[in-house]
mmCIF file of all heavy atoms in Angstrom:
data_model
loop_
_atom_site.group_PDB
_atom_site.id
_atom_site.type_symbol
_atom_site.label_atom_id
_atom_site.label_comp_id
_atom_site.label_asym_id
_atom_site.label_seq_id
_atom_site.Cartn_x
_atom_site.Cartn_y
_atom_site.Cartn_z
ATOM 1 N N GLY I 278 70.990 107.929 108.262
ATOM 2 C CA GLY I 278 70.123 108.849 109.001
ATOM 3 C C GLY I 278 69.184 108.055 109.885
ATOM 4 O O GLY I 278 68.305 107.356 109.380
ATOM 5 N N LEU I 279 69.388 108.184 111.208
ATOM 6 C CA LEU I 279 68.547 107.449 112.149
ATOM 7 C C LEU I 279 67.134 108.010 112.145
ATOM 8 O O LEU I 279 66.920 109.172 111.806
ATOM 9 C CB LEU I 279 69.112 107.603 113.552
ATOM 10 C CG LEU I 279 70.121 106.576 114.049
ATOM 11 C CD1 LEU I 279 70.540 106.943 115.450
ATOM 12 C CD2 LEU I 279 69.548 105.180 114.041
ATOM 13 N N PHE I 280 66.185 107.197 112.547
ATOM 14 C CA PHE I 280 64.797 107.613 112.783
ATOM 15 C C PHE I 280 64.100 108.081 111.516
ATOM 16 O O PHE I 280 63.135 108.836 111.578
ATOM 17 C CB PHE I 280 64.703 108.716 113.845
ATOM 18 C CG PHE I 280 65.523 108.459 115.077
ATOM 19 C CD1 PHE I 280 66.266 109.457 115.657
ATOM 20 C CD2 PHE I 280 65.549 107.198 115.649
ATOM 21 C CE1 PHE I 280 67.026 109.208 116.793
ATOM 22 C CE2 PHE I 280 66.306 106.941 116.775
ATOM 23 C CZ PHE I 280 67.043 107.955 117.343
ATOM 24 N N THR I 281 64.593 107.703 110.342
ATOM 25 C CA THR I 281 63.876 108.016 109.116
ATOM 26 C C THR I 281 63.679 106.711 108.359
ATOM 27 O O THR I 281 64.385 105.741 108.592
ATOM 28 C CB THR I 281 64.669 108.972 108.213
ATOM 29 O OG1 THR I 281 65.939 108.380 107.959
ATOM 30 C CG2 THR I 281 64.859 110.322 108.867
ATOM 31 N N VAL I 282 62.700 106.699 107.449
ATOM 32 C CA VAL I 282 62.461 105.482 106.670
ATOM 33 C C VAL I 282 63.510 105.344 105.584
ATOM 34 O O VAL I 282 64.007 104.253 105.308
ATOM 35 C CB VAL I 282 61.042 105.502 106.064
ATOM 36 C CG1 VAL I 282 60.826 104.269 105.203
ATOM 37 C CG2 VAL I 282 60.014 105.558 107.159
ATOM 38 N N GLU I 283 63.870 106.478 104.963
ATOM 39 C CA GLU I 283 64.784 106.390 103.826
ATOM 40 C C GLU I 283 66.244 106.298 104.260
ATOM 41 O O GLU I 283 67.086 105.858 103.482
ATOM 42 C CB GLU I 283 64.567 107.563 102.868
ATOM 43 C CG GLU I 283 64.769 108.954 103.466
ATOM 44 C CD GLU I 283 63.501 109.508 104.091
ATOM 45 O OE1 GLU I 283 62.665 108.703 104.538
ATOM 46 O OE2 GLU I 283 63.345 110.740 104.155
ATOM 47 N N GLY I 284 66.540 106.678 105.517
ATOM 48 C CA GLY I 284 67.921 106.649 106.003
ATOM 49 C C GLY I 284 68.599 105.295 105.837
ATOM 50 O O GLY I 284 69.664 105.212 105.213
ATOM 51 N N PRO I 285 67.999 104.202 106.374
ATOM 52 C CA PRO I 285 68.642 102.895 106.236
ATOM 53 C C PRO I 285 68.844 102.484 104.776
ATOM 54 O O PRO I 285 69.850 101.851 104.453
ATOM 55 C CB PRO I 285 67.663 101.937 106.924
ATOM 56 C CG PRO I 285 66.880 102.775 107.836
ATOM 57 C CD PRO I 285 66.816 104.130 107.234
ATOM 58 N N ILE I 286 67.902 102.879 103.902
ATOM 59 C CA ILE I 286 68.022 102.483 102.497
ATOM 60 C C ILE I 286 69.218 103.187 101.867
ATOM 61 O O ILE I 286 70.090 102.554 101.256
ATOM 62 C CB ILE I 286 66.727 102.831 101.741
ATOM 63 C CG1 ILE I 286 65.526 102.174 102.429
ATOM 64 C CG2 ILE I 286 66.817 102.397 100.300
ATOM 65 C CD1 ILE I 286 64.201 102.686 101.956
ATOM 66 N N ILE I 287 69.268 104.523 102.059
ATOM 67 C CA ILE I 287 70.360 105.292 101.472
ATOM 68 C C ILE I 287 71.691 104.874 102.079
ATOM 69 O O ILE I 287 72.682 104.662 101.379
ATOM 70 C CB ILE I 287 70.100 106.800 101.688
ATOM 71 C CG1 ILE I 287 68.856 107.215 100.909
ATOM 72 C CG2 ILE I 287 71.290 107.628 101.267
ATOM 73 C CD1 ILE I 287 68.357 108.591 101.245
ATOM 74 N N GLY I 288 71.697 104.719 103.415
ATOM 75 C CA GLY I 288 72.928 104.324 104.092
ATOM 76 C C GLY I 288 73.432 102.983 103.605
ATOM 77 O O GLY I 288 74.620 102.830 103.313
ATOM 78 N N THR I 289 72.525 101.990 103.525
ATOM 79 C CA THR I 289 72.949 100.669 103.073
ATOM 80 C C THR I 289 73.516 100.752 101.667
ATOM 81 O O THR I 289 74.559 100.159 101.373
ATOM 82 C CB THR I 289 71.756 99.686 103.080
ATOM 83 O OG1 THR I 289 71.105 99.781 104.331
ATOM 84 C CG2 THR I 289 72.227 98.272 102.859
ATOM 85 N N PHE I 290 72.840 101.515 100.808
ATOM 86 C CA PHE I 290 73.299 101.611 99.425
ATOM 87 C C PHE I 290 74.703 102.220 99.366
ATOM 88 O O PHE I 290 75.626 101.633 98.806
ATOM 89 C CB PHE I 290 72.306 102.449 98.608
ATOM 90 C CG PHE I 290 72.667 102.539 97.169
ATOM 91 C CD1 PHE I 290 72.446 101.464 96.322
ATOM 92 C CD2 PHE I 290 73.257 103.681 96.660
ATOM 93 C CE1 PHE I 290 72.792 101.536 94.997
ATOM 94 C CE2 PHE I 290 73.607 103.762 95.331
ATOM 95 C CZ PHE I 290 73.375 102.688 94.501
#
Side-chain angles (χ1 to χ4, degrees):
Chain I
L279 269 180
F280 314 137
T281 56
V282 177
E283 59 272 28
I286 304 167
I287 295 169
T289 311
F290 183 76

